[in-house]
Amino acid sequence: VKGPELDRSKSIATPRKTTWDANTAVSEVVPYLYVKNGLEYYEVSDGTYLLCVDNKGVLTSCTLKDGAGSTDMIDLVIPEKVGNTKVTGIASDCFSDDDMNQRVRTLTIEDNSISIINDGAFKGWKKLQKAYIGNSVSKIGASAFEGCESLIDVTFNTPLGGHDSFTIGTDAFKT
């Protein structure tokens, strides 16, 4: 579905909101495409949170959907694709929704998606218990999971580039 980001009153456009809970016979999500400052953005929702990528595949935001339960724990998935756009990276301010960050219980970075977890990307996610790192990740930045005091299970898939090309930054998993 393609439409405006906002309506005339600067509220979230109705067609955009309707895709957040929509599904089809072939997909559990319906991607929404809008243009902002000349760039195309694709957005999908799992019913609890919204993921948005730009046309270069950079995950630009991950926020709670309006009306999401206020205390429900979240199992967050960074997918291989949002709509037809391959997810290639994460913007530095992607996870700026502190309310959501403190409710993530599990994090899955799907295979064949991002290659780098930036410095401090998931720092301080106090409720995060498990993380699955997909095969495309070749670098975990400094302090990426620092302060994730509940993190007790991290599973790594074999990196596509092999173990010799895989790096973990200083204090990446310091709790």
Side-chain angles (χ1 to χ4, degrees), residues 52-61 85-91:
C52 186
V53 297
D54 65 20
N55 58 350
K56 296 178 183 173
V58 176
L59 192 61
T60 59
S61 68
T85 303
K86 180 171 175 30
V87 177
T88 59
I90 301 174

Side-chain angles (χ1 to χ4, degrees), residues 53-81:
V53 297
D54 65 20
N55 58 350
K56 296 178 183 173
V58 176
L59 192 61
T60 59
S61 68
C62 182
T63 58
L64 284 174
K65 181 179 90 63
D66 287 346
S70 62
T71 59
D72 297 338
M73 295 304 291
I74 298 169
D75 298 318
L76 177 64
V77 176
I78 297 175
E80 178 182 358
K81 290 182 175 184

Side-chain angles (χ1 to χ4, degrees), residues 68-117:
S70 62
T71 59
D72 297 338
M73 295 304 291
I74 298 169
D75 298 318
L76 177 64
V77 176
I78 297 175
E80 178 182 358
K81 290 182 175 184
V82 171
N84 292 326
T85 303
K86 180 171 175 30
V87 177
T88 59
I90 301 174
S92 60
D93 60 346
C94 176
F95 297 106
S96 59
D97 184 340
D98 288 332
D99 182 39
M100 191 196 83
N101 298 349
Q102 297 311 314
R103 292 171 44 194
V104 175
R105 171 182 44 211
T106 63
L107 169 68
T108 300
I109 299 172
E110 287 190 343
D111 289 342
N112 305 311
S113 62
I114 64 170
S115 58
I116 296 172
I117 298 174

Side-chain angles (χ1 to χ4, degrees), residues 116-120 137-146 156 165-174:
I116 296 172
I117 298 174
N118 294 331
D119 295 353
V137 175
S138 60
K139 177 182 177 185
I140 298 176
S143 304
F145 292 90
E146 183 177 346
F156 296 88
S165 66
F166 186 77
T167 61
I168 298 176
T170 305
D171 295 333
F173 292 96
K174 183 177 181 181

